[in-house]
Amino acid sequence: MRNLIEIQEQLLPDLMDTLKRRYTILHQIKLAGMVGRRTLASSLSMTERVLRAETDFLKAQGLIEIETLGMRISEAGEHLLEQLEPVMKDLFGLADLEEKIREAYELRKVVIVPGDSESSDDVKRELGRAGARALLCVVRSGDIVAVTGGSTLAEVAEQMAPPTAGPLTGAWFVPARGGLGESVEIQANTIASKMAKKVGAEYRLLHVPDLLSDDAYQSLVQDHHIQEIVDVIRQSCVIIHGIGDAMEMAHRRKLDEKSIRDLQKEGAIAESFGYYFSEEGTVVHRMLTLGLRLEDIMRTETIIGIAGGRSKAEAIHAVLKFGHEDILVIDEAAALELEKRFDAASAQQDR
């Protein structure tokens, strides 16, 4: 397939440009759900005249439907996009980038979605959809799946769909840790329960704060009901988690200024699972909290990390250097920054 694409790019470059343009238009309509021509033209940096010609063609092919309120993708269009996805990853260079990152960090699989989720809600939805697909590819009936909180994981839950093979009876979804006291929608408890309901699985909840004092920790760890759910969480065979910037997460946890300064001195640049990581992937600080411990994470069968945005690249790198990720789902903006990082390191070594 790749050889054929390379031949076509050499002999029929105009054809490949048209394919890329029409795929991008179709993909954007799918992400938007329902969109007007003017809005779509603006988001694609395309004139309305050019866009009208393309959408008229797509409508004639039965790939989109044009209504009074705007355009929506048809069932045939959805099917075509699914068929084209691996081909387009080659055309846009994302397949090569996935393999480059996979090899650099010794991962099992890397999935890259086009765009920058920090600047586009549509890309964030696509990132969530890719994360949901990655998760459903590895979860089986009887598995325990631990889920962290955050807006990206909330989007994964939103994009989850019932498995084609039927409900995941016997599987359990659980929060990886306690709650941060933020919006209910992005709490691990909410996300775990939503995922479970969508795939026909069971769920358990952990009603404790993520950050605990020594006294609170000692008290809760003695509670029979709390210990029972914590034991279940620590038996997880699949973990899906977000990746955060260390300082951002420290402020979200409302750490005092001294603790934040200590994290900076320790070189913390990333946070995940309640652990703070340095650029080298070393754990430099851990929160006193119930839920997954480092030893639980290290023996888990499959760990899926998901994050997006150019600003997250440094944090993603640090967590990947920790060395226990299996599957990575990121957007193009973060992937390109990672590529720059290890290309620069490679050039430095060659000097």
Side-chain angles (χ1 to χ4, degrees), residues 22-23 25-27 29-30 54-66 71-81 83-84:
R22 289 175 179 169
Y23 174 86
I25 293 169
L26 202 57
H27 188 256
I29 293 172
K30 175 190 174 183
E54 296 292 4
T55 53
D56 285 347
F57 172 84
L58 294 173
K59 180 186 177 185
Q61 297 299 312
L63 301 174
I64 64 170
E65 299 166 356
I66 300 179
M71 298 171 283
R72 73 165 86 235
I73 193 167
S74 67
E75 187 176 333
E78 291 258 17
H79 183 61
L80 180 63
L81 279 181
Q83 291 180 309
L84 278 175

Side-chain angles (χ1 to χ4, degrees), residues 135 139 145 147 160 171-175 192 195-196 199 201-204:
L135 179 58
V139 179
V145 182
V147 181
M160 292 278 277
W172 288 83
F173 283 72
V174 296
M195 285 182 174
V199 300
E202 305 292 332
Y203 63 90
R204 298 285 299 272

Side-chain angles (χ1 to χ4, degrees), residues 9 13 25 37 62 71 102 150 175 181 206 213 241 245 249 264 268 298 344:
E9 285 183 314
I25 293 169
R37 185 177 285 118
M71 298 171 283
R102 190 195 68 78
L206 179 63
S213 66
H241 68 95
D245 173 80
M249 292 304 299
Q264 290 172 328
M298 294 171 73

Side-chain angles (χ1 to χ4, degrees), residues 132 138 195 213 220 236:
V138 298
M195 285 182 174
S213 66
L220 287 170
S236 299

